[in-house]
Amino acid sequence: MPKVKLIRIREEILSENKNLADSIRADLSRRRTTLLNIMSSPGSGKTSLILRTIDLLSNSVSMAVIEADLDSTVDADKIAETGTEAIQIETGGFCHVNAAMLEKAAAKLDLDALDLVILENVGNLVCPAQADTGAHLNVVILSVPEGDDKPLKYPVIFKGVDAVVLNKIDYLQIAPFDRESFWEHVRALNPKAAHFEVSCTKGTGLESWVQWLKGRLQ
Amino acid sequence: MHELSVTESILNTVLESAATHSVSRILKIHLEVGELNGLEAEWIQYYFDVLSKDTMAAGAQIEVHRKPSEFTCHDCGEVFPLDLKSVSKVTCPTCDGKNCSLTGGSEFYIRDMEAV
Ligand SMILES: Nc1nc2c(ncn2[C@@H]2O[C@H](COP(=O)(O)OP(=O)(O)OP(=O)(O)O)[C@@H](O)[C@H]2O)c(=O)[nH]1
Ligand SMILES: [Mg+2]
Ligand SMILES: [Zn+2]
């Protein structure tokens, strides 16, 4: 009987996706285009935050949006109404956007003319956390009605992002939400992430969000 | 979770590795997965059996080694396990400090494989 060999691998699962993501990131950087990946549960305010961001930045930043809403063009249509280009990704019911899907969608954009591409990922706090899309900036939105305990329940997504946006702060008066403990949990998982508190419907807190974003464009 | 794409990725990686090590059959694959990555081991094995059917990895067994989530206290240096599902605060059990951060539990890699 042949001897069993133990072969050391030590490679990340999904390393193929990671390699493609790295090359997308490098290609976009060469074109001085920044890719922002926005993640959250369904309904936390991804589209609302994107619309607010377009409103505040489209005068000075040239941008486009890639929408990955499941089998619907509702969000893409809302973005297109603002005059900003919106591309619908075909996720085929997939639970997250991966680098290959992003590459295909981005090929439809005139990347050299763009400063910022915003990706609205599929509404889900688990799967998008594990698939690098090639984004330079990863942001997770949590909304007040979802509860302050979410970071500890979905630690992987909070651990990997550059910024955490707490949306729907207009609900703070009526919802039992402990802001201090929420941010404490976020810090425990991710000491480096930037923190924002906003209300996309009221328009509160958005100025510091767009300033942060502007400061990170390449 | 997206066990199917994860399994495809595992299969591609082990087949590549097998090709460079001149082996002809893969028997066992060891994964190291932090408990914070909610990977369903049974589904991985199920998909793997289907995807690997006509390859040298057919019949290989996948063993998932779970890594507990671990925090490190930046005040006193204590490293402590914490079950995030049952706590509402992250505090150091030694000094009661709150200046702690997650240092283990999100591992997600293929450690090694047994092959002949
Ligand atoms: N009260 C309140 N409602 C908000 C706020 N931001 C968004 N909403 C509402 O929340 C709902 C969902 O917002 P969207 O922006 O569509 O959320 P989304 O994350 O894009 O949702 P999906 O794409 O379906 O996953 C809409 O009815 C918004 O009007 C806010 O700051 N306060
Ligand atoms: Mg949306
Ligand atoms: Zn301590």
Side-chain angles (χ1 to χ4, degrees):
Chain A
M1 187 152 160
K3 198 166 170 299
V4 176
K5 282 190 201 171
L6 185 68
I7 300 171
R8 199 177 137 92
I9 299 182
R10 292 247 152 214
E11 195 168 320
E12 283 290 319
I13 298 174
L14 299 178
S15 57
E16 271 172 68
N17 182 70
K18 176 75 169 64
N19 295 341
L20 180 57
D22 284 340
S23 93
I24 291 170
R25 208 168 6 252
D27 177 59
L28 289 171
S29 295
R30 269 194 299 278
R31 299 163 187 267
R32 300 195 157 272
T33 306
T34 301
L35 177 61
L36 164 67
N37 173 25
I38 299 193
M39 300 172 284
S40 83
S41 310
S44 306
K46 296 180 291 299
T47 306
S48 305
L49 184 68
I50 293 170
L51 289 169
R52 284 290 186 177
T53 306
I54 290 172
D55 192 37
L56 291 166
L57 284 185
S58 60
N59 279 337
S60 54
V61 175
S62 102
M63 54 177 134
V65 174
I66 297 177
E67 275 297 335
D69 213 353
L70 295 173
D71 300 325
S72 138
T73 57
V74 177
D75 288 348
D77 294 343
K78 276 189 207 154
I79 307 289
E81 275 169 32
T82 67
T84 296
E85 187 173 6
I87 290 212
Q88 179 71 39
I89 252 186
E90 305 301 335
T91 55
F94 222 60
C95 50
H96 65 272
V97 174
N98 64 24
M101 293 176 200
L102 190 285
E103 188 181 42
K104 222 172 126 197
K108 298 183 192 155
L109 293 169
D110 180 8
L111 293 170
D112 290 316
L114 292 168
D115 305 315
L116 174 64
V117 175
I118 304 179
L119 165 66
E120 176 171 346
N121 213 312
V122 180
N124 178 331
L125 286 178
V126 180
C127 309
Q130 275 165 347
D132 193 338
T133 57
H136 301 90
L137 298 170
N138 291 288
V139 172
V140 63
I141 305 175
L142 190 100
S143 62
V144 169
E146 292 171 76
D148 53 48
D149 59 340
K150 286 301 167 295
L152 298 185
K153 290 201 172 137
Y154 301 96
V156 180
I157 199 158
F158 284 90
K159 182 180 160 63
V161 294
D162 303 289
V164 177
V165 177
L166 179 63
N167 186 31
K168 309 195 187 180
I169 56 167
D170 50 299
Y171 275 117
L172 281 172
Q173 284 110 10
I174 52 168
F177 187 99
D178 184 341
R179 271 159 75 204
E180 234 170 83
S181 96
F182 171 75
W183 290 118
E184 208 176 272
H185 296 154
V186 169
R187 255 190 300 277
L189 297 168
N190 182 340
K192 293 196 194 100
H195 300 173
F196 302 98
E197 297 190 353
V198 306
S199 165
C200 286
T201 46
K202 294 239 157 99
T204 335
L206 293 156
E207 197 50 46
S208 55
W209 152 253
V210 293
Q211 284 315 320
W212 176 84
L213 181 55
K214 247 181 134 167
R216 267 150 195 83
L217 299 181
Q218 318 181 54
Chain B
M1 264 286 292
H2 35 261
E3 275 72 12
L4 183 58
S5 50
V6 163
T7 310
E8 274 169 345
S9 169
I10 295 169
L11 180 61
N12 290 341
T13 304
V14 296
L15 290 179
E16 259 170 49
S17 175
T20 62
H21 284 85
S22 54
V23 288
S24 57
R25 214 158 83 77
I26 298 170
L27 305 173
K28 206 172 203 178
I29 299 155
H30 297 273
L31 308 182
E32 250 168 52
V33 178
E35 67 174 7
L36 301 178
N37 285 311
L39 195 78
E40 294 293 341
E42 282 152 54
W43 280 103
I44 298 284
Q45 185 72 61
Y46 175 81
Y47 287 133
F48 193 86
D49 291 346
V50 175
L51 294 172
S52 66
K53 226 168 73 206
D54 300 315
T55 71
M56 68 169 87
Q61 202 187 329
I62 298 186
E63 201 161 309
V64 178
H65 303 265
R66 295 276 175 191
K67 296 284 191 179
S69 45
E70 241 172 37
F71 282 77
T72 302
C73 171
H74 300 295
D75 295 330
C76 75
E78 175 80 2
V79 177
F80 56 98
L82 201 60
D83 177 11
L84 287 175
K85 291 204 171 62
S86 64
V87 297
S88 60
K89 284 250 174 300
V90 179
T91 41
C92 172
T94 306
C95 74
D96 230 21
K98 286 182 177 174
N99 188 16
C100 310
S101 64
L102 183 70
T103 46
S106 54
E107 296 81 357
F108 202 50
Y109 62 91
I110 308 171
R111 195 185 71 193
D112 44 37
M113 66 179 180
E114 295 167 35
V116 289

